[in-house]
Structures are given as structure tokens and as C-alpha cells.
């Protein structure tokens, strides 16, 4: 028996990296998972990994910034698994510049993916959750505790040079979390944030040739941290290293457990002991 048996989860950006590990972790504990990625192949690979381990999952491919994505994401869970219990807003990327060189396009893109997209997903989920609660009350049944976990960053708690857009978006996630915890408490929904420190993913690790990019809707975005800077950053972490995606997923899982049913509106820093 898994701790999440019978639960239905949606995890944005779960074809790769931290999101993939979150999906695998939730599924390993019995949750049925809707896997999302911008590209079909990584999403299918995550679903295949879940199914090969005996779990259940389906894909919902597309950009979280599409205007209709929130409704489509939520409806995929309802259509395939009959409900919705866990929402993890994880999708995102960085597009850095010092403020005098940052374009409106950079600012808007990062605010859209990290803040507007979670807002739209949560807005789309409200009617489903409200209806389920209403039906449970009418039938005299207990109302299960549902979970929302929004992903932030130490850039959102303390700021980071060269990341005015990302820092602002992630700080906004904290505000969204606290507001929704107050709105959705009446539905027995907890809403929390996990703020990651240095987690070693494709967004932080620079290839040997020093030229790391990712493709976002046809646009090549430079990613990666200078290896020397990355080593210096790791030395600042009390645990002496960057975290793994699996460890990051573990922090998200804590907020999905029944043991955290009375914890809401909180920010958990997953940073190996380092924080601002």
C-alpha cells in the first residue's frame, strides 16, 4: 500500500529533471499522474517509466503558457482518472540578463511560465475541487485533504543578480501560495511552496563545450552555470554539494503526505542548509 493510493496528481514540466522525479515519486507511492512536457517524447518516456514500475500515468503535452492549457491539464486528470487531488506547479526555465540588458520579451516570458501559468492551472482546478467538496458534503462523506505544491527558488526568497525576472516571478509564487491557502482552506486544500536551492539539472550544468542551450517554442535559450562558479556555489552549501532531482522531489513529496494535512501557506527551503 502506497501513502498516496487512490490520489490523482498533475505535475507540470514532468518530462525531465526535477519534474520527472516528482512524477516518479508520486507514482511510486500509488498516485495516478498526469505528466506534462513541452515536447511529447520526454513526457512519453516518463509515463513509460511509471508504467514499467506498475503505476498509472498519462500525458498532457504542451506549453503551460498556452491560454487553454490549464483547463486541458485539469480535464485530462478528470477524464482519465476521475478527479484531482494533487497539483504540482513545477514547469519553468530561466532566461537571464542584468536589468539594463533585459528585454520586455525576457521579462514577460519568465513571468508567464512561472507565475501566470500556475495561476491559470489553479483557476481551472477550482470548479473541479469545489464540485467534489459539494458532492461529498451532500452525501455525508468526509472531505479528503487535497494538496497544492508550488515550486519557487532561493532567487524568490532572496533575489539573485542577473535574474530580476525569475526572482520576481518566484517571489510572486509565494504570494500566490499564501493567498490561495486562505481561499481554499474551506475546501480542505493545503497550499505550500518548495523553494529550491542549487539542484543539479540541465538548467545548471554546462556541457563540456561550454555552450548549453534549451529549445523553448523554437527559441534557443542559453542555460548552464560556469563550472568554476558552480563549484564555488557548492562550497557555500553546508552539505557541500548541489542537490539531486530526486532529493528535490522528496521535498515536494513531504507536502503531499497525509502527515502534512495541517500544514499550509508555508515555504520549505530545499537547499542543503543554504538560504538567504
Amino acid at each position: 500500500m502506497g501513502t498516496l493510493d487512490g490520489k490523482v496528481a498533475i505535475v507540470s514540466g514532468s518530462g525531465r529533471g526535477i519534474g520527472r522525479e516528482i512524477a516518479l515519486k508520486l507514482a511510486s507511492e500509488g498516485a495516478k499522474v498526469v505528466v506534462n512536457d513541452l515536447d511529447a517524447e520526454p513526457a512519453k518516456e516518463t509515463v513509460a517509466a511509471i508504467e514499467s514500475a506498475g503505476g498509472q500515468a498519462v500525458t498532457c503535452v504542451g506549453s503551460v503558457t498556452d491560454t487553454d492549457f490549464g483547463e486541458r491539464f485539469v480535464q485530462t486528470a478528470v477524464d482519465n482518472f476521475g478527479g484531482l487531488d494533487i497539483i504540482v506547479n513545477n514547469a519553468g526555465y530561466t532566461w537571464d540578463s542584468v536589468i539594463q540588458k533585459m528585454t520586455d520579451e525576457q521579462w514577460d516570458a519568465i513571468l508567464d511560465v512561472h507565475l501566470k501559468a500556475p495561476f491559470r492551472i489553479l483557476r481551472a482546478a477550482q470548479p473541479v475541487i469545489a464540485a467534489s467538496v459539494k458532492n461529498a458534503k451532500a452525501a455525508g462523506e468526509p472531505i479528503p485533504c487535497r494538496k497544492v505544491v508550488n515550486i519557487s527558488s532561493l532567487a524568490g526568497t532572496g533575489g539573485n543578480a542577473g535574474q530580476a525576472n525569475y526572482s520576481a516571478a518566484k517571489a510572486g509564487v509565494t504570494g500566490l501560495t499564501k493567498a490561495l491557502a486562505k481561499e481554499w482552506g474551506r475546501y480542505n486544500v493545503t497550499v505550500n511552496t518548495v523553494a529550491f536551492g542549487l539542484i543539479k539539472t540541465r538548467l545548471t550544468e554546462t556541457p563540456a563545450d561550454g555552450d548549453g542551450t534549451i529549445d523553448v517554442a523554437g527559441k534557443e535559450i542559453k542555460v548552464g552555470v560556469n563550472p568554476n562558479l558552480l563549484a564555488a556555489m557548492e562550497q557555500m552549501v553546508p552539505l557541500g554539494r548541489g542537490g539531486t532531482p530526486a532529493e528535490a522531489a522528496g521535498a515536494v513529496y513531504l507536502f503531499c503526505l497525509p502527515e502534512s494535512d495541517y500544514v499550509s501557506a508555508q515555504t520549505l527551503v530545499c537547499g542543503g542548509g543554504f538560504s538567504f
Side-chain angles (χ1 to χ4, degrees), residues 12 64 87 89-91 111-124 150-151 170 173 176 180:
S12 66
V64 296
I87 302 170
N89 284 307
N90 167 78
L111 268 289
D112 281 352
V113 72
H114 290 284
L115 191 54
K116 184 181 284 187
F119 154 70
R120 285 173 167 166
I121 291 168
L122 294 166
R123 181 176 62 185
N150 296 318
I151 303 305
K170 288 307 192 183
V173 166
L176 176 63
L180 205 63

Side-chain angles (χ1 to χ4, degrees), residues 126 176-189 191:
Q126 190 278 341
L176 176 63
T177 293
K178 291 182 179 295
L180 205 63
K182 291 178 169 64
E183 287 189 23
W184 283 10
R186 63 196 176 104
Y187 300 136
N188 199 24
V189 177
V191 188

Side-chain angles (χ1 to χ4, degrees), residues 12-274:
S12 66
S14 47
R16 305 175 174 93
I18 295 171
R20 173 186 168 90
E21 293 298 327
I22 293 170
L24 292 174
K25 179 62 178 176
L26 299 184
S28 74
E29 293 296 334
K32 301 169 185 176
V33 184
V34 179
V35 174
N36 157 257
D37 197 90
L38 190 61
D39 303 312
E41 200 55 39
K44 290 178 181 177
E45 289 174 0
T46 300
V47 168
I50 289 171
E51 291 179 338
S52 68
Q56 296 183 60
V58 296
T59 64
C60 182
V61 176
S63 172
V64 296
T65 62
D66 290 344
T67 55
D68 67 340
F69 178 80
E71 286 77 10
R72 189 160 61 85
F73 200 21
V74 170
Q75 198 60 45
T76 300
V78 174
D79 290 347
N80 286 274
F81 301 129
L84 181 59
D85 301 286
I86 298 169
I87 302 170
V88 182
N89 284 307
N90 167 78
Y93 61 98
T94 56
W95 192 2
D96 301 345
S97 287
V98 290
I99 197 163
Q100 67 270 25
K101 295 182 180 179
M102 185 173 291
T103 65
D104 285 358
E105 182 185 14
Q106 279 177 279
W107 177 270
D108 290 343
I110 296 304
L111 268 289
D112 281 352
V113 72
H114 290 284
L115 191 54
K116 184 181 284 187
F119 154 70
R120 285 173 167 166
I121 291 168
L122 294 166
R123 181 176 62 185
Q126 190 278 341
V128 173
I129 292 171
S132 178
V133 170
K134 182 178 180 180
N135 292 338
K137 286 181 177 179
E141 299 172 349
I143 300 170
C145 184
R146 292 179 169 85
K147 310 282 188 164
V148 174
V149 185
N150 296 318
I151 303 305
S152 185
S153 164
L154 286 181
T157 63
N160 197 32
Q163 292 188 319
N165 52 359
Y166 184 67
S167 298
K170 288 307 192 183
V173 166
T174 301
L176 176 63
T177 293
K178 291 182 179 295
L180 205 63
K182 291 178 169 64
E183 287 189 23
W184 283 10
R186 63 196 176 104
Y187 300 136
N188 199 24
V189 177
T190 67
V191 188
N192 292 289
T193 300
V194 175
F196 294 134
L198 177 59
I199 307 296
K200 302 181 82 170
T201 70
R202 67 184 182 135
L203 298 183
T204 59
E205 299 207 327
T206 303
D209 62 9
D211 187 23
T213 63
I214 59 172
D215 181 280
V216 179
K219 184 179 292 293
E220 291 294 314
I221 306 294
K222 185 175 177 58
V223 297
V225 178
N226 178 283
N228 293 329
L229 177 59
L230 187 63
M233 291 168 64
E234 288 190 295
Q235 290 181 3
M236 296 173 65
V237 177
L239 288 182
R241 60 178 177 81
T244 68
E247 289 170 328
V252 173
Y253 173 61
L254 295 177
F255 280 136
C256 299
L257 285 167
E259 286 82 353
S260 64
D261 282 359
Y262 200 62
V263 179
S264 196
Q266 302 304 305
T267 296
L268 171 66
V269 174
C270 177
F274 179 81

